Amino acid sequence: MTERPEPSPVQRYMRSAGQALLAQPRWLAWLAPLAWAAMLFLLSTYSGPADDRPVFPLQGFIWNFAHPVLFGLLALLVIPVAPRRALGQHQWTAMTGIGALWTVLLVTLYGFTDELHQSTVPGRDASLLDVCSDGVGAAAVVAVVLYLGRPDANSRGLRIRFLGGLGACVAVAGLATGWDVLHGEGLWPF
C-alpha cells in the first residue's frame, strides 16, 4: 500500500476553508449562494458609465476578469449544497462529475439570466462572452475543489489545476476585452 502524500500548507488552508463552508447543514447551505446571487443581481442594476472610455489602463480587462471571479465564488458557495463524505476527520463534498457539471451549468445559466437582466439596464450591455467567462470561472473553482478532495491530491496537481483555471479565466477575460475593443458592444444575439 502506498502512503498518502502529506498535504502542503496551501492544501491544508484550502481544505480548512472548504470545511468551514461545509460546517453548516445542507438545508442551510442554500442561503449563501442565494445571497451572493442576489448581490450579483444588485450589481447588474447599476447603470454603466456615461462615457465608455476607460478611466485607467486595463480597466476593461479588470471588469471582464471580474466575471469568472464573481461567478467562481458563486460556484464555490453552491458546492456545500451537494452531498458530503468523510475526508479524514472532516467532511468534504461527495460531488460527482455529473454534480460538478450541474453546478457549472447552474452558475452559467444564472450568468445568462444576469446578462438578460443587464441588457435592460440603461448604460449597460449584455455579452455572451461574459456568460462564457462566468462558466469558465465556475469550472475552474469546481475543478480545484474536486481535486482537493482526492486522497492522492498533492501540491503539484493543485498548482496545475489552479494555474490552469487562472489561465483560462485570464484568456476568456482577454477575449471579452478584445471583442469590446474591436466591436464596441458585447456579443449578444438579440
mmCIF file with all atom_site columns, all heavy atoms in Angstrom, residues 57-75:
data_model
loop_
_atom_site.group_PDB
_atom_site.id
_atom_site.type_symbol
_atom_site.label_atom_id
_atom_site.label_alt_id
_atom_site.label_comp_id
_atom_site.label_asym_id
_atom_site.label_entity_id
_atom_site.label_seq_id
_atom_site.pdbx_PDB_ins_code
_atom_site.Cartn_x
_atom_site.Cartn_y
_atom_site.Cartn_z
_atom_site.occupancy
_atom_site.B_iso_or_equiv
_atom_site.pdbx_formal_charge
_atom_site.auth_seq_id
_atom_site.auth_comp_id
_atom_site.auth_asym_id
_atom_site.auth_atom_id
_atom_site.pdbx_PDB_model_num
ATOM 1   N N   . PRO A 1 57 ? -5.694  52.419 -17.394 1.00 0.00 ? 57 PRO A N   1
ATOM 2   C CA  . PRO A 1 57 ? -5.301  51.323 -18.275 1.00 0.00 ? 57 PRO A CA  1
ATOM 3   C C   . PRO A 1 57 ? -5.785  49.975 -17.726 1.00 0.00 ? 57 PRO A C   1
ATOM 4   O O   . PRO A 1 57 ? -5.818  49.754 -16.518 1.00 0.00 ? 57 PRO A O   1
ATOM 5   C CB  . PRO A 1 57 ? -3.774  51.388 -18.275 1.00 0.00 ? 57 PRO A CB  1
ATOM 6   C CG  . PRO A 1 57 ? -3.435  52.771 -17.848 1.00 0.00 ? 57 PRO A CG  1
ATOM 7   C CD  . PRO A 1 57 ? -4.560  53.214 -16.942 1.00 0.00 ? 57 PRO A CD  1
ATOM 8   N N   . LEU A 1 58 ? -6.158  49.110 -18.602 1.00 0.00 ? 58 LEU A N   1
ATOM 9   C CA  . LEU A 1 58 ? -6.624  47.755 -18.287 1.00 0.00 ? 58 LEU A CA  1
ATOM 10  C C   . LEU A 1 58 ? -7.965  47.701 -17.563 1.00 0.00 ? 58 LEU A C   1
ATOM 11  O O   . LEU A 1 58 ? -8.357  46.656 -17.061 1.00 0.00 ? 58 LEU A O   1
ATOM 12  C CB  . LEU A 1 58 ? -5.576  46.975 -17.486 1.00 0.00 ? 58 LEU A CB  1
ATOM 13  C CG  . LEU A 1 58 ? -4.238  46.745 -18.180 1.00 0.00 ? 58 LEU A CG  1
ATOM 14  C CD1 . LEU A 1 58 ? -3.275  46.050 -17.231 1.00 0.00 ? 58 LEU A CD1 1
ATOM 15  C CD2 . LEU A 1 58 ? -4.402  45.948 -19.453 1.00 0.00 ? 58 LEU A CD2 1
ATOM 16  N N   . GLN A 1 59 ? -8.678  48.814 -17.489 1.00 0.00 ? 59 GLN A N   1
ATOM 17  C CA  . GLN A 1 59 ? -9.957  48.817 -16.787 1.00 0.00 ? 59 GLN A CA  1
ATOM 18  C C   . GLN A 1 59 ? -10.926 47.805 -17.402 1.00 0.00 ? 59 GLN A C   1
ATOM 19  O O   . GLN A 1 59 ? -11.589 47.063 -16.681 1.00 0.00 ? 59 GLN A O   1
ATOM 20  C CB  . GLN A 1 59 ? -10.578 50.204 -16.812 1.00 0.00 ? 59 GLN A CB  1
ATOM 21  C CG  . GLN A 1 59 ? -11.956 50.262 -16.173 1.00 0.00 ? 59 GLN A CG  1
ATOM 22  C CD  . GLN A 1 59 ? -12.528 51.660 -16.216 1.00 0.00 ? 59 GLN A CD  1
ATOM 23  O OE1 . GLN A 1 59 ? -11.793 52.628 -16.097 1.00 0.00 ? 59 GLN A OE1 1
ATOM 24  N NE2 . GLN A 1 59 ? -13.825 51.760 -16.375 1.00 0.00 ? 59 GLN A NE2 1
ATOM 25  N N   . GLY A 1 60 ? -11.006 47.773 -18.731 1.00 0.00 ? 60 GLY A N   1
ATOM 26  C CA  . GLY A 1 60 ? -11.906 46.833 -19.395 1.00 0.00 ? 60 GLY A CA  1
ATOM 27  C C   . GLY A 1 60 ? -11.552 45.397 -19.075 1.00 0.00 ? 60 GLY A C   1
ATOM 28  O O   . GLY A 1 60 ? -12.429 44.565 -18.818 1.00 0.00 ? 60 GLY A O   1
ATOM 29  N N   . PHE A 1 61 ? -10.252 45.088 -19.069 1.00 0.00 ? 61 PHE A N   1
ATOM 30  C CA  . PHE A 1 61 ? -9.827  43.725 -18.739 1.00 0.00 ? 61 PHE A CA  1
ATOM 31  C C   . PHE A 1 61 ? -10.196 43.384 -17.304 1.00 0.00 ? 61 PHE A C   1
ATOM 32  O O   . PHE A 1 61 ? -10.686 42.280 -17.028 1.00 0.00 ? 61 PHE A O   1
ATOM 33  C CB  . PHE A 1 61 ? -8.322  43.562 -18.947 1.00 0.00 ? 61 PHE A CB  1
ATOM 34  C CG  . PHE A 1 61 ? -7.833  42.215 -18.512 1.00 0.00 ? 61 PHE A CG  1
ATOM 35  C CD1 . PHE A 1 61 ? -8.007  41.115 -19.338 1.00 0.00 ? 61 PHE A CD1 1
ATOM 36  C CD2 . PHE A 1 61 ? -7.252  42.035 -17.266 1.00 0.00 ? 61 PHE A CD2 1
ATOM 37  C CE1 . PHE A 1 61 ? -7.590  39.849 -18.925 1.00 0.00 ? 61 PHE A CE1 1
ATOM 38  C CE2 . PHE A 1 61 ? -6.829  40.786 -16.846 1.00 0.00 ? 61 PHE A CE2 1
ATOM 39  C CZ  . PHE A 1 61 ? -6.997  39.687 -17.680 1.00 0.00 ? 61 PHE A CZ  1
ATOM 40  N N   . ILE A 1 62 ? -10.000 44.301 -16.387 1.00 0.00 ? 62 ILE A N   1
ATOM 41  C CA  . ILE A 1 62 ? -10.309 44.042 -14.972 1.00 0.00 ? 62 ILE A CA  1
ATOM 42  C C   . ILE A 1 62 ? -11.802 43.789 -14.801 1.00 0.00 ? 62 ILE A C   1
ATOM 43  O O   . ILE A 1 62 ? -12.209 42.870 -14.091 1.00 0.00 ? 62 ILE A O   1
ATOM 44  C CB  . ILE A 1 62 ? -9.815  45.198 -14.082 1.00 0.00 ? 62 ILE A CB  1
ATOM 45  C CG1 . ILE A 1 62 ? -8.279  45.205 -14.072 1.00 0.00 ? 62 ILE A CG1 1
ATOM 46  C CG2 . ILE A 1 62 ? -10.370 45.077 -12.664 1.00 0.00 ? 62 ILE A CG2 1
ATOM 47  C CD1 . ILE A 1 62 ? -7.663  46.434 -13.457 1.00 0.00 ? 62 ILE A CD1 1
ATOM 48  N N   . TRP A 1 63 ? -12.638 44.571 -15.487 1.00 0.00 ? 63 TRP A N   1
ATOM 49  C CA  . TRP A 1 63 ? -14.085 44.351 -15.397 1.00 0.00 ? 63 TRP A CA  1
ATOM 50  C C   . TRP A 1 63 ? -14.461 42.991 -15.979 1.00 0.00 ? 63 TRP A C   1
ATOM 51  O O   . TRP A 1 63 ? -15.299 42.287 -15.438 1.00 0.00 ? 63 TRP A O   1
ATOM 52  C CB  . TRP A 1 63 ? -14.842 45.465 -16.096 1.00 0.00 ? 63 TRP A CB  1
ATOM 53  C CG  . TRP A 1 63 ? -14.880 46.751 -15.334 1.00 0.00 ? 63 TRP A CG  1
ATOM 54  C CD1 . TRP A 1 63 ? -14.522 46.950 -14.028 1.00 0.00 ? 63 TRP A CD1 1
ATOM 55  C CD2 . TRP A 1 63 ? -15.292 48.020 -15.822 1.00 0.00 ? 63 TRP A CD2 1
ATOM 56  N NE1 . TRP A 1 63 ? -14.685 48.262 -13.681 1.00 0.00 ? 63 TRP A NE1 1
ATOM 57  C CE2 . TRP A 1 63 ? -15.157 48.947 -14.764 1.00 0.00 ? 63 TRP A CE2 1
ATOM 58  C CE3 . TRP A 1 63 ? -15.743 48.468 -17.042 1.00 0.00 ? 63 TRP A CE3 1
ATOM 59  C CZ2 . TRP A 1 63 ? -15.473 50.285 -14.894 1.00 0.00 ? 63 TRP A CZ2 1
ATOM 60  C CZ3 . TRP A 1 63 ? -16.063 49.811 -17.176 1.00 0.00 ? 63 TRP A CZ3 1
ATOM 61  C CH2 . TRP A 1 63 ? -15.925 50.700 -16.108 1.00 0.00 ? 63 TRP A CH2 1
ATOM 62  N N   . ASN A 1 64 ? -13.825 42.630 -17.104 1.00 0.00 ? 64 ASN A N   1
ATOM 63  C CA  . ASN A 1 64 ? -14.115 41.328 -17.701 1.00 0.00 ? 64 ASN A CA  1
ATOM 64  C C   . ASN A 1 64 ? -13.566 40.189 -16.852 1.00 0.00 ? 64 ASN A C   1
ATOM 65  O O   . ASN A 1 64 ? -14.164 39.111 -16.794 1.00 0.00 ? 64 ASN A O   1
ATOM 66  C CB  . ASN A 1 64 ? -13.567 41.255 -19.129 1.00 0.00 ? 64 ASN A CB  1
ATOM 67  C CG  . ASN A 1 64 ? -14.428 42.030 -20.104 1.00 0.00 ? 64 ASN A CG  1
ATOM 68  O OD1 . ASN A 1 64 ? -15.648 41.958 -20.062 1.00 0.00 ? 64 ASN A OD1 1
ATOM 69  N ND2 . ASN A 1 64 ? -13.795 42.795 -20.979 1.00 0.00 ? 64 ASN A ND2 1
ATOM 70  N N   . PHE A 1 65 ? -12.439 40.403 -16.195 1.00 0.00 ? 65 PHE A N   1
ATOM 71  C CA  . PHE A 1 65 ? -11.869 39.367 -15.324 1.00 0.00 ? 65 PHE A CA  1
ATOM 72  C C   . PHE A 1 65 ? -12.711 39.181 -14.062 1.00 0.00 ? 65 PHE A C   1
ATOM 73  O O   . PHE A 1 65 ? -12.693 38.117 -13.447 1.00 0.00 ? 65 PHE A O   1
ATOM 74  C CB  . PHE A 1 65 ? -10.423 39.717 -14.956 1.00 0.00 ? 65 PHE A CB  1
ATOM 75  C CG  . PHE A 1 65 ? -9.725  38.633 -14.197 1.00 0.00 ? 65 PHE A CG  1
ATOM 76  C CD1 . PHE A 1 65 ? -9.344  37.468 -14.830 1.00 0.00 ? 65 PHE A CD1 1
ATOM 77  C CD2 . PHE A 1 65 ? -9.453  38.780 -12.845 1.00 0.00 ? 65 PHE A CD2 1
ATOM 78  C CE1 . PHE A 1 65 ? -8.701  36.449 -14.131 1.00 0.00 ? 65 PHE A CE1 1
ATOM 79  C CE2 . PHE A 1 65 ? -8.815  37.773 -12.143 1.00 0.00 ? 65 PHE A CE2 1
ATOM 80  C CZ  . PHE A 1 65 ? -8.434  36.606 -12.795 1.00 0.00 ? 65 PHE A CZ  1
ATOM 81  N N   . ALA A 1 66 ? -13.469 40.201 -13.695 1.00 0.00 ? 66 ALA A N   1
ATOM 82  C CA  . ALA A 1 66 ? -14.336 40.081 -12.511 1.00 0.00 ? 66 ALA A CA  1
ATOM 83  C C   . ALA A 1 66 ? -15.402 39.010 -12.712 1.00 0.00 ? 66 ALA A C   1
ATOM 84  O O   . ALA A 1 66 ? -15.809 38.354 -11.743 1.00 0.00 ? 66 ALA A O   1
ATOM 85  C CB  . ALA A 1 66 ? -14.986 41.420 -12.185 1.00 0.00 ? 66 ALA A CB  1
ATOM 86  N N   . HIS A 1 67 ? -15.843 38.792 -13.941 1.00 0.00 ? 67 HIS A N   1
ATOM 87  C CA  . HIS A 1 67 ? -16.879 37.788 -14.197 1.00 0.00 ? 67 HIS A CA  1
ATOM 88  C C   . HIS A 1 67 ? -16.482 36.391 -13.707 1.00 0.00 ? 67 HIS A C   1
ATOM 89  O O   . HIS A 1 67 ? -17.212 35.785 -12.927 1.00 0.00 ? 67 HIS A O   1
ATOM 90  C CB  . HIS A 1 67 ? -17.260 37.750 -15.678 1.00 0.00 ? 67 HIS A CB  1
ATOM 91  C CG  . HIS A 1 67 ? -18.306 38.753 -16.022 1.00 0.00 ? 67 HIS A CG  1
ATOM 92  N ND1 . HIS A 1 67 ? -19.644 38.465 -15.992 1.00 0.00 ? 67 HIS A ND1 1
ATOM 93  C CD2 . HIS A 1 67 ? -18.201 40.039 -16.403 1.00 0.00 ? 67 HIS A CD2 1
ATOM 94  C CE1 . HIS A 1 67 ? -20.327 39.532 -16.334 1.00 0.00 ? 67 HIS A CE1 1
ATOM 95  N NE2 . HIS A 1 67 ? -19.476 40.514 -16.590 1.00 0.00 ? 67 HIS A NE2 1
ATOM 96  N N   . PRO A 1 68 ? -15.342 35.830 -14.153 1.00 0.00 ? 68 PRO A N   1
ATOM 97  C CA  . PRO A 1 68 ? -15.018 34.488 -13.660 1.00 0.00 ? 68 PRO A CA  1
ATOM 98  C C   . PRO A 1 68 ? -14.765 34.453 -12.150 1.00 0.00 ? 68 PRO A C   1
ATOM 99  O O   . PRO A 1 68 ? -15.055 33.448 -11.496 1.00 0.00 ? 68 PRO A O   1
ATOM 100 C CB  . PRO A 1 68 ? -13.774 34.084 -14.456 1.00 0.00 ? 68 PRO A CB  1
ATOM 101 C CG  . PRO A 1 68 ? -13.271 35.306 -15.104 1.00 0.00 ? 68 PRO A CG  1
ATOM 102 C CD  . PRO A 1 68 ? -14.391 36.284 -15.174 1.00 0.00 ? 68 PRO A CD  1
ATOM 103 N N   . VAL A 1 69 ? -14.267 35.536 -11.598 1.00 0.00 ? 69 VAL A N   1
ATOM 104 C CA  . VAL A 1 69 ? -14.032 35.576 -10.149 1.00 0.00 ? 69 VAL A CA  1
ATOM 105 C C   . VAL A 1 69 ? -15.358 35.564 -9.386  1.00 0.00 ? 69 VAL A C   1
ATOM 106 O O   . VAL A 1 69 ? -15.563 34.753 -8.478  1.00 0.00 ? 69 VAL A O   1
ATOM 107 C CB  . VAL A 1 69 ? -13.181 36.816 -9.763  1.00 0.00 ? 69 VAL A CB  1
ATOM 108 C CG1 . VAL A 1 69 ? -13.091 36.962 -8.256  1.00 0.00 ? 69 VAL A CG1 1
ATOM 109 C CG2 . VAL A 1 69 ? -11.793 36.726 -10.387 1.00 0.00 ? 69 VAL A CG2 1
ATOM 110 N N   . LEU A 1 70 ? -16.275 36.444 -9.763  1.00 0.00 ? 70 LEU A N   1
ATOM 111 C CA  . LEU A 1 70 ? -17.548 36.555 -9.044  1.00 0.00 ? 70 LEU A CA  1
ATOM 112 C C   . LEU A 1 70 ? -18.408 35.304 -9.211  1.00 0.00 ? 70 LEU A C   1
ATOM 113 O O   . LEU A 1 70 ? -19.051 34.848 -8.256  1.00 0.00 ? 70 LEU A O   1
ATOM 114 C CB  . LEU A 1 70 ? -18.316 37.794 -9.520  1.00 0.00 ? 70 LEU A CB  1
ATOM 115 C CG  . LEU A 1 70 ? -17.653 39.139 -9.220  1.00 0.00 ? 70 LEU A CG  1
ATOM 116 C CD1 . LEU A 1 70 ? -18.422 40.265 -9.886  1.00 0.00 ? 70 LEU A CD1 1
ATOM 117 C CD2 . LEU A 1 70 ? -17.531 39.365 -7.727  1.00 0.00 ? 70 LEU A CD2 1
ATOM 118 N N   . PHE A 1 71 ? -18.424 34.734 -10.413 1.00 0.00 ? 71 PHE A N   1
ATOM 119 C CA  . PHE A 1 71 ? -19.242 33.551 -10.636 1.00 0.00 ? 71 PHE A CA  1
ATOM 120 C C   . PHE A 1 71 ? -18.518 32.276 -10.185 1.00 0.00 ? 71 PHE A C   1
ATOM 121 O O   . PHE A 1 71 ? -19.160 31.277 -9.867  1.00 0.00 ? 71 PHE A O   1
ATOM 122 C CB  . PHE A 1 71 ? -19.704 33.482 -12.088 1.00 0.00 ? 71 PHE A CB  1
ATOM 123 C CG  . PHE A 1 71 ? -20.814 34.460 -12.356 1.00 0.00 ? 71 PHE A CG  1
ATOM 124 C CD1 . PHE A 1 71 ? -20.544 35.791 -12.615 1.00 0.00 ? 71 PHE A CD1 1
ATOM 125 C CD2 . PHE A 1 71 ? -22.135 34.056 -12.293 1.00 0.00 ? 71 PHE A CD2 1
ATOM 126 C CE1 . PHE A 1 71 ? -21.566 36.711 -12.825 1.00 0.00 ? 71 PHE A CE1 1
ATOM 127 C CE2 . PHE A 1 71 ? -23.169 34.963 -12.501 1.00 0.00 ? 71 PHE A CE2 1
ATOM 128 C CZ  . PHE A 1 71 ? -22.886 36.294 -12.765 1.00 0.00 ? 71 PHE A CZ  1
ATOM 129 N N   . GLY A 1 72 ? -17.198 32.311 -10.114 1.00 0.00 ? 72 GLY A N   1
ATOM 130 C CA  . GLY A 1 72 ? -16.459 31.209 -9.488  1.00 0.00 ? 72 GLY A CA  1
ATOM 131 C C   . GLY A 1 72 ? -16.792 31.139 -8.004  1.00 0.00 ? 72 GLY A C   1
ATOM 132 O O   . GLY A 1 72 ? -16.966 30.060 -7.432  1.00 0.00 ? 72 GLY A O   1
ATOM 133 N N   . LEU A 1 73 ? -16.907 32.304 -7.374  1.00 0.00 ? 73 LEU A N   1
ATOM 134 C CA  . LEU A 1 73 ? -17.312 32.347 -5.967  1.00 0.00 ? 73 LEU A CA  1
ATOM 135 C C   . LEU A 1 73 ? -18.731 31.807 -5.800  1.00 0.00 ? 73 LEU A C   1
ATOM 136 O O   . LEU A 1 73 ? -19.020 31.089 -4.841  1.00 0.00 ? 73 LEU A O   1
ATOM 137 C CB  . LEU A 1 73 ? -17.206 33.768 -5.420  1.00 0.00 ? 73 LEU A CB  1
ATOM 138 C CG  . LEU A 1 73 ? -17.588 33.966 -3.956  1.00 0.00 ? 73 LEU A CG  1
ATOM 139 C CD1 . LEU A 1 73 ? -16.775 33.058 -3.040  1.00 0.00 ? 73 LEU A CD1 1
ATOM 140 C CD2 . LEU A 1 73 ? -17.411 35.409 -3.553  1.00 0.00 ? 73 LEU A CD2 1
ATOM 141 N N   . LEU A 1 74 ? -19.611 32.118 -6.743  1.00 0.00 ? 74 LEU A N   1
ATOM 142 C CA  . LEU A 1 74 ? -20.960 31.563 -6.682  1.00 0.00 ? 74 LEU A CA  1
ATOM 143 C C   . LEU A 1 74 ? -20.911 30.037 -6.742  1.00 0.00 ? 74 LEU A C   1
ATOM 144 O O   . LEU A 1 74 ? -21.592 29.359 -5.973  1.00 0.00 ? 74 LEU A O   1
ATOM 145 C CB  . LEU A 1 74 ? -21.828 32.124 -7.815  1.00 0.00 ? 74 LEU A CB  1
ATOM 146 C CG  . LEU A 1 74 ? -23.273 31.634 -7.859  1.00 0.00 ? 74 LEU A CG  1
ATOM 147 C CD1 . LEU A 1 74 ? -24.021 31.967 -6.567  1.00 0.00 ? 74 LEU A CD1 1
ATOM 148 C CD2 . LEU A 1 74 ? -23.999 32.234 -9.067  1.00 0.00 ? 74 LEU A CD2 1
ATOM 149 N N   . ALA A 1 75 ? -20.083 29.481 -7.620  1.00 0.00 ? 75 ALA A N   1
ATOM 150 C CA  . ALA A 1 75 ? -19.937 28.020 -7.698  1.00 0.00 ? 75 ALA A CA  1
ATOM 151 C C   . ALA A 1 75 ? -19.409 27.459 -6.383  1.00 0.00 ? 75 ALA A C   1
ATOM 152 O O   . ALA A 1 75 ? -19.889 26.431 -5.895  1.00 0.00 ? 75 ALA A O   1
ATOM 153 C CB  . ALA A 1 75 ? -19.005 27.637 -8.843  1.00 0.00 ? 75 ALA A CB  1
#
